[in-house]
Amino acid sequence: MVKTFKLNTDQTVDRAFKIDYAALLNEQQYEAATQFRGPILCIAGAGSGKTRTLIYRVARMLESGIAPDNILLLTFTRKAASNMLDRVAALVGNEGKAVAGGTYHSFAANILRKYGHYIGLKSSYSIIDEGDAGDIINFLRSELGFNKKESRFPQKKTVAQMFSKANNLEKTVPDIVSAFYPQFEEHSEDIERLHEEFGKYKLNNMLLDYDDLLIYLHRLLSTSDAARTAITTRYRYVMADEYQDTNGLQARITFLLAGENRNIMVVGDDAQSIYSFRGARVTNILEFPQAYPDCRIIRLEENYRSTRPILEAANSLMESAREGFKKTLVTQKGSGDLPACVCCEDEQEQAMFVAARILELREQGIKLNNMAVLFRSSFHAYQLELELKRRNIPYVKWGGFKFLEAGHLKDVISHMRIVQNPYDQVSWLRVLLLIEGIGTHSASEIFKHIRFAQNPYDLSTVKARAKAEKGLQQLSKMLASASSLVNSPPARLLEIVADYYFPILKERFDDYPRRFKDIDQLAIIAGKFATLSDFLTDLALEPPKDSVDEALAPETSEDETLVLSTIHSAKGLEWHSVFVIHALEGRFPSLRSLKSEPELEEERRLMYVAITRAAENLAISYPSQIWDPATGSLLARPSRFIEEIDSNLLEPWQIARQ
Ligand code: ATP
Ligand code: MG
């Protein structure tokens, strides 16, 4: 007779948990956070606790004895991922840090290093960014002779965008050209040809661009049973935040990762979908129940972030939305001040107003790091930045110009990249061009030699002009000692590269002292990584600090720094007081979007995201007129989004100069 042992697997019983989940979460949140098995879709508005639910869910899993290794948390930015895992760690201790978290791209990069060989990918592949892609396209274009065309061929950046759009929308390049770039229709065939060459080039040089990371990950998961089994055995519980901004491929990757475990939870808000220009599909949320007909659908209707007036303004804005599920959020938080709608005379007055008001709020006890200024495009903040500097208000800026786009940092990284992947042509060309006496032509010739050389770092037999000999020798010498460090932590390698590069830098830039400091900064970052490949992957995917300003901001002892951010980079975050600036037709909504209804809708959602970042205090401001030199037009109408919000819900402010 077989005896039956009854094992209670009901995880909803709070027995020995340190955290009182039921008290900290509302009923729906609690359900989502304590059910680990099976598919769950959580669809809910801004500030309703979606991210909080995920954080507590991970904590609960760890407390229930699930190994951190088995959990995968995907989010939209790395900042968001590390932020969430920090919060998990604060709840349950260091185990939280061992959970795998990151963006789809960074996850793909790691998985491909480990399992890429199942689909013939060497683990030493390099990741190229948009700038590198542009350089390669330029190179191929001249190889193909397309630069000699009489009529205007699209610029390298535009071509790179076409390729990426084709990937993200899963369309052919000619389709993309005719749909989005009809002005280049006559070049469609050539562009397609260039696309093929670009693909071959990347393959031959072991280069992956951002889109390739997802494409290869998908290929790995869908074609290699062995790899998929290994991966899904490891990551048994998969979660994705901000699911409304995933594209079609990411959705399919999500399904493959969930695999037979089917322990998958995605959360999102269709009203906050702001990346359709990159192929994000709100429909991923709608289609989730089709992929998993047995999924639990959890809706969160209560907003815990914003005061009633702020939320009412947000709801009112979305009443004019053309599409989407209608959902009106309610808040438990009491009343508060009406959001201010501030008309300023010009850009400068707007900057002065924002700075002065920030100081006023600070006087009232609100810390700078509890305030943020948000804008549609990075350049909208220039004037304000000057004003903040003038008044000594410390700030960081997110979005816009990236730390690593600075030429000197790319130079350093390129040297490190050829140590990792000696066939990385883009990096070689960059490195060779830094040597005196070497131009584009000889650089390509030298690379041909390198590609077939026994030892690619030995440049002694390279034919070059006499003027270049010394430089090549020094490079060769440096690479000889650097190449032995390929499997060591990157800090030492960076030192060697920097020693070699400093004289070049000094020769090239008048402001070299400032640039030296950037490289020091990079060295500090490098010090945090155990392997070169981790370091390079990390940098390529998303610089640890979003912008030069941020990376170089002095580490203040208290966290008293104001945030300036593009709205895209502010996703998922919240502040006590928020300023939305440049709410002006032509700026926000942007000039480009005025002609297309879907784009306008996306701008509206962007405004919704901006407004819903505010907890207590919101000011939307605009200069009453500005001259836009780029288009030669006068912008002089407040944003239509201000007009769409019921006028009783905003308090008009005017500026009286004293
Ligand atoms: P977004 O759509 O902007 O990403 P979200 O739905 O992810 O927002 P969260 O950021 O998780 O929302 O939560 C918003 C705020 O509300 C946070 O400060 C969070 O701690 C708080 N909050 C959420 N749920 C609760 C709750 N049940 N009790 C107390 N505070 C809560
Ligand atoms: Mg969130």
Side-chain angles (χ1 to χ4, degrees), residues 6 17 41 71 78 95 109-110 263 306 358 414 461 538 595:
K6 285 205 186 110
F17 297 112
L41 166 68
I71 305 172
R78 266 206 345 205
E95 239 194 345
N110 291 330
N263 300 323
S306 310
I358 284 170
S414 297
T461 54
D538 219 75
K595 287 181 230 104

Side-chain angles (χ1 to χ4, degrees), residues 230-492:
I231 294 163
T232 55
T233 315
R234 160 119 199 235
Y235 301 105
R236 282 191 224 148
Y237 300 90
V238 180
M239 281 159 269
D241 198 358
E242 307 272 3
Y243 194 66
Q244 75 278 357
D245 279 322
T246 50
N247 65 22
L249 195 56
Q250 284 166 318
R252 295 205 299 281
I253 288 173
T254 313
F255 298 157
L256 285 164
L257 284 172
E260 284 163 17
N261 301 318
R262 303 177 89 252
N263 300 323
I264 163 89
M265 171 164 164
V266 301
V267 316
D269 177 7
D270 56 304
Q272 294 185 69
S273 164
I274 53 177
Y275 277 94
S276 68
F277 70 99
R278 277 210 221 141
R281 299 168 72 238
V282 186
T283 40
N284 283 350
I285 293 190
L286 307 175
E287 286 166 8
F288 190 83
Q290 288 162 25
Y292 297 103
D294 59 332
C295 76
R296 261 176 233 251
I297 300 182
I298 293 178
R299 291 174 194 276
L300 309 174
E301 255 130 26
E302 204 170 302
N303 175 299
Y304 288 87
R305 179 181 293 145
S306 310
T307 57
R308 188 171 314 135
I310 292 173
L311 205 57
E312 279 174 355
N315 286 336
S316 170
L317 173 71
M318 287 321 271
E319 266 164 33
S320 322
R322 303 275 179 284
E323 50 198 25
F325 316 94
K326 294 280 174 229
K327 52 177 168 309
T328 302
L329 288 166
V330 292
T331 174
Q332 291 288 327
K333 267 173 97 168
S335 54
D337 294 336
L338 284 182
C341 175
V342 192
C343 173
C344 307
E345 196 178 280
D346 53 21
E347 212 177 335
Q348 199 192 356
E349 189 173 277
Q350 177 177 253
M352 284 160 59
F353 157 71
V354 172
R357 174 76 178 137
I358 284 170
L359 291 178
E360 186 178 84
L361 288 167
R362 182 136 189 278
E363 286 291 297
Q364 295 168 12
I366 297 149
K367 289 202 155 176
L368 287 180
N369 56 312
N370 268 328
M371 299 186 231
V373 183
L374 307 180
F375 31 85
R376 173 68 185 84
S377 301
S378 190
F379 77 92
H380 295 174
Y382 289 167
Q383 189 88 31
L384 177 64
E385 288 182 65
L386 292 177
E387 188 63 26
L388 294 172
K389 286 199 182 114
R390 222 164 51 78
R391 300 196 189 217
N392 276 327
I393 302 177
Y395 68 89
V396 290
K397 192 174 173 192
W398 296 344
F401 184 60
K402 299 270 192 276
F403 185 44
L404 294 179
E405 279 164 17
H408 51 297
L409 295 173
K410 280 210 100 164
D411 288 346
V412 172
I413 302 289
S414 297
H415 288 87
M416 300 181 79
R417 272 175 37 173
I418 55 182
V419 170
Q420 187 208 15
N421 171 6
Y423 305 105
D424 181 341
Q425 180 174 7
V426 214
S427 298
W428 267 113
L429 295 183
R430 193 174 182 105
V431 163
L432 291 168
L433 283 171
L434 290 171
I435 295 176
E436 223 199 308
I438 295 184
T440 358
H441 179 73
S442 52
S444 319
E445 288 302 310
I446 295 174
F447 182 72
K448 280 184 196 146
H449 168 92
I450 292 169
R451 160 166 283 158
F452 299 105
Q454 274 276 323
N455 171 3
Y457 303 123
D458 177 7
L459 306 174
S460 58
T461 54
V462 161
K463 286 191 214 62
R465 287 163 55 192
K467 209 172 161 198
E469 257 165 34
K470 189 162 157 248
L472 279 171
Q473 231 172 32
Q474 281 166 343
L475 176 63
S476 197
K477 195 167 148 230
M478 184 277 284
L479 289 173
S481 58
S483 61
S484 64
L485 294 172
V486 61
N487 293 317
S488 315
R492 175 78 192 115

